[in-house]
Amino acid sequence: MNHRIPTLLCILALASGAVFAQATATPPELQAGTIKSVRGDVQLLSASGTQRPASPGDVLMPIDRVLTGTDSAASVVLRDGTMMVVGPSSRLDIKEFHFDATTQDGGLLVSLLRGSMRMITGLIGKKQPDAVRIETQTATIGIRGTDFIVQADAQP
Amino acid sequence: MTFHRLVATVFTSLLIAACSSSGTRVVLLPQADGRPSAVVVRANGGEEILGKPYQRATASRNSTGAPVVDQADPARIEAENRSLFDLMPPPPQRYTLYFDAGETALTPESQVTLSEALAAAAARNGGEIVVTGHTDTMGTLERNDDLSRRRAQEVRQMFAERGFPAGRIQAIGRGERNLLIPTPDEVAEPRNRRVTIEVR
């Protein structure tokens, strides 16, 4: 009996902790963005390995993976206003997202492992184009502002 | 409203297809406002810049050298990537609120604007409201960051009280970093003391 009460308390504490974690929203400054629309089968895979079907209004965290089935797609708006659409049969990782809404400094790294995506860059890309990168298995894509110099050396 | 158009957007729109067997294709899309933009595509130790709408870079898995650039057919790009066009969220809607001088109460016009913004956010799929406070240049940067954040939080509260989900309202303070009317430091300018709303 003596040791039961602490155990019970412990379980209660754990349980209420879990409920609490679900009930309180993640602090907005840690979120990456919000799912806007979903067509067909779209799953979100979190860093901890839990998978859940996506629906409009869902919060997207940095390191989340977006998985779409055939004939499926989803759109996302990141906190800096970057808009993305993930096309059918795709696997897209938000590998890195941080954004200070006051200074508008931040960084975004997206990895498209397969499938297709469309992106309209937001405030991070506007302030610091270098801080936005998209990678695939064969290429890395960077953003250039409108003000840039191109230096082309003759190719051997 | 006009102010937002003026500071608007040097944004880049692009489309990427990653196919594990053949490589990656990147297409630069035109911007909604017609302004130029560009992306750089690096692969196999080489790089190419796409600076014209519908330019396409192809980085093949088994080739060497920089990506190959050609001009894609806009109609075909759209037809082959229908969902990437269908699902793109509509552009954000923007509103500006003003307060009665030295008060936390909105002007009557701004009360109406608040209702419009609320209706627009409720009509959107997964709608969100981003409330951003701004100050004039009186006082220190830090004080103004704080002041603008508090004013944004007040407006956030107004939206929440009218039933919009609090988890989908962000309150941001930009202090004196984004002046509507450019002034030197330490200038009182009521038009700079405002709260902007973005519905996305």
Side-chain angles (χ1 to χ4, degrees):
Chain A
M1 190 67 201
N2 276 357
H3 66 277
R4 265 197 185 163
I5 288 167
T7 314
L8 191 64
L9 281 175
C10 190
I11 290 168
L12 272 175
L14 280 173
S16 62
V19 169
F20 187 70
Q22 288 207 323
T24 41
T26 332
E29 62 275 13
L30 296 179
Q31 300 176 4
T34 306
I35 300 282
K36 291 297 173 184
S37 49
V38 169
R39 176 187 284 175
D41 175 31
V42 179
Q43 303 282 325
L44 300 178
L45 184 68
S46 74
S48 61
T50 52
Q51 190 167 320
R52 60 197 194 277
S55 27
D58 281 358
V59 169
L60 198 66
M61 298 298 293
I63 328 184
D64 274 355
R65 171 173 290 182
V66 182
L67 291 155
T68 60
T70 49
D71 300 321
S72 303
S75 64
V76 171
V77 176
L78 300 180
R79 218 151 40 74
D80 75 319
T82 296
M83 299 200 277
M84 292 198 295
V85 186
V86 186
S89 307
S90 300
R91 213 161 87 190
L92 177 135
D93 285 354
I94 310 280
K95 280 193 138 174
E96 192 187 314
F97 180 87
H98 56 100
F99 178 62
D100 180 327
T102 295
T103 62
Q104 299 186 342
D105 290 319
L108 170 64
L109 174 59
V110 172
S111 180
L112 181 70
L113 299 156
R114 73 179 146 93
S116 57
M117 68 163 298
R118 182 179 169 197
M119 177 187 278
I120 300 178
T121 58
L123 292 170
I124 299 173
K126 187 178 174 188
K127 188 170 183 196
Q128 265 181 290
D130 285 353
V132 179
R133 274 178 308 141
I134 303 104
E135 54 178 37
T136 68
Q137 286 173 25
T138 43
T140 307
I141 297 104
I143 307 300
R144 287 280 192 269
T146 49
D147 187 7
F148 64 91
I149 295 171
V150 183
Q151 292 178 310
D153 295 318
Q155 293 282 320
Chain B
M1 291 286 282
T2 18
F3 144 72
H4 291 290
R5 300 240 165 75
L6 289 178
V7 286
T9 57
V10 186
F11 298 139
T12 306
S13 180
L14 72 158
L15 189 152
I16 302 167
C19 173
S20 52
S21 59
S22 63
T24 299
R25 291 176 304 285
V26 181
V27 180
L28 183 70
L29 299 175
Q31 294 208 74
D33 61 5
R35 293 166 72 152
S37 68
V39 294
V40 57
V41 183
R42 293 189 194 87
N44 304 317
E47 68 171 54
E48 286 291 342
I49 290 173
L50 306 181
K52 292 199 195 83
Y54 297 105
Q55 266 189 331
R56 170 174 55 198
T58 304
S60 306
R61 173 169 289 272
N62 296 316
S63 74
T64 53
V68 177
V69 176
D70 68 347
Q71 196 68 29
D73 174 29
R76 246 184 105 176
I77 292 292
E78 257 191 70
E80 287 170 0
N81 299 280
R82 208 48 262 167
S83 59
L84 298 186
F85 291 87
D86 289 350
L87 263 69
M88 185 50 85
Q93 290 151 282
R94 297 186 169 105
Y95 307 86
T96 304
L97 304 180
Y98 295 94
F99 292 80
D100 286 327
E103 304 269 337
T104 54
L106 294 172
T107 62
E109 295 80 13
S110 291
Q111 301 270 13
V112 176
T113 308
L114 186 87
S115 303
E116 285 172 11
L118 184 69
R124 282 183 178 238
N125 252 346
E128 288 170 278
I129 299 173
V130 183
V131 183
T132 307
H134 305 271
T135 66
D136 58 23
T137 57
M138 295 294 289
T140 64
L141 184 77
E142 294 74 23
R143 184 187 151 276
N144 283 331
D145 281 352
D146 186 54
L147 187 67
S148 60
R149 192 173 300 123
R150 274 187 283 136
R151 198 158 256 189
Q153 279 162 354
E154 279 164 23
V155 174
R156 179 182 191 271
Q157 194 55 34
M158 294 176 196
F159 281 115
E161 276 163 9
R162 295 186 185 202
F164 198 81
R168 286 200 253 142
I169 317 170
Q170 277 186 65
I172 295 164
R174 288 272 286 149
E176 55 180 76
R177 293 157 207 268
N178 195 353
L179 301 175
L180 174 59
I181 309 295
T183 69
D185 204 12
E186 300 301 326
V187 173
E189 172 52 72
R191 285 171 294 177
N192 284 335
R193 295 195 292 265
R194 70 212 192 273
V195 165
T196 55
I197 310 289
E198 182 176 290
V199 172
R200 55 161 80 146

